[in-house]
Amino acid sequence: MFTDNFMPTIGVDFKIKTIEVDGKKIKLQIWDTAGQERFKTITASYYKGAHGIIVTYDITDKKSHSDVHNWMAEVEKHAADNISRILVGNKSDLADKRDVTTEQGQEMAEHYGVRFLETSAKVSNNVELAFTLMTREIKNRVAVVQKKPTAGAAGAASADSGRNTQLGKPGKAVAPQKKGGCC
């Protein structure tokens, strides 16, 4: 559960979280760049070692939604081919100020072949679910890679053996789920 003290992000922030997924405790190192352009060069180096990326836009801000194209291009440019990605529309608690429809978010997720869900960090709606989905996808991908035998080493996996692995149902929207906790 994500209940540690949470401060709004100004700049690059990171947290260490341990969550339980499918009966297994998994430690996450979460880097939050707040989507700020001035951190683009720094974030490029973080992509190289990342196992998953959650790209988030503000549903009340069309520009943040259109900026997703730039961030996805950065991910494609700097991250591993098989990196897990999720698209998240945040601030679902501000439905009356919505500038980006759920359908537009789903369409963009389908375009990139990634999962999609909407969250509200303010009221802790679907935040934990986003991290759980990401962690489960990474865990499953790592398990598949570890099971693939390599030439000369039965049961061992090479660093590249998981490339182009497709998991889950990309572009599938996740039903809203109210849970406590935030990142």
Side-chain angles (χ1 to χ4, degrees):
M1 188 170 220
F2 298 96
T3 57
D4 292 352
N5 294 335
F6 177 74
M7 297 295 293
T9 303
I10 300 172
V12 177
D13 187 21
F14 91 96
K15 300 260 184 206
I16 302 288
K17 298 287 182 189
T18 302
I19 66 172
E20 189 170 319
V21 175
D22 303 330
K24 182 173 181 146
K25 286 190 179 202
I26 300 173
K27 186 186 262 187
L28 305 176
Q29 186 180 69
I30 303 165
W31 291 86
D32 182 352
T33 64
Q36 296 181 37
E37 195 67 30
R38 65 187 172 142
F39 296 111
K40 221 174 202 178
T41 56
I42 297 170
T43 56
S45 63
Y46 294 131
Y47 293 144
K48 291 190 187 325
H51 294 283
I53 295 177
I54 298 175
V55 176
T56 304
Y57 67 90
D58 176 345
I59 69 161
T60 69
D61 182 354
K62 274 195 188 293
K63 182 178 179 340
S64 76
H65 181 254
S66 65
D67 285 347
V68 167
H69 294 296
N70 298 330
W71 289 106
M72 288 294 197
E74 287 295 303
V75 170
E76 289 173 14
K77 181 178 176 182
H78 299 290
D81 292 341
N82 65 342
I83 194 162
S84 296
R85 298 173 295 161
I86 295 179
L87 179 62
V88 170
N90 192 34
K91 297 190 180 179
S92 63
D93 58 294
L94 299 176
D96 57 325
K97 296 179 179 163
R98 181 184 286 273
D99 239 1
V100 180
T101 67
T102 301
E103 291 76 21
Q104 289 171 312
Q106 289 171 328
E107 287 171 13
M108 186 173 281
E110 288 171 12
H111 172 78
Y112 288 106
V114 299
R115 288 184 183 266
F116 171 75
L117 69 151
E118 290 188 337
T119 64
S120 169
K122 183 177 182 179
V123 298
S124 301
N125 183 32
N126 281 344
V127 174
E128 188 171 343
L129 177 61
F131 285 98
T132 300
L133 287 172
M134 174 62 68
T135 304
R136 182 172 288 125
E137 194 166 303
I138 293 166
K139 180 179 126 339
N140 291 341
R141 187 183 71 240
V142 169
V144 167
V145 170
Q146 289 176 346
K147 288 180 182 177
K148 286 185 178 181
T150 59
S158 73
D160 293 332
S161 64
R163 291 205 183 275
N164 299 319
T165 303
Q166 296 287 329
L167 294 172
K169 295 183 180 172
K172 181 179 179 192
V174 178
Q177 178 186 43
K178 294 224 180 219
K179 284 214 171 192
C182 180
C183 51

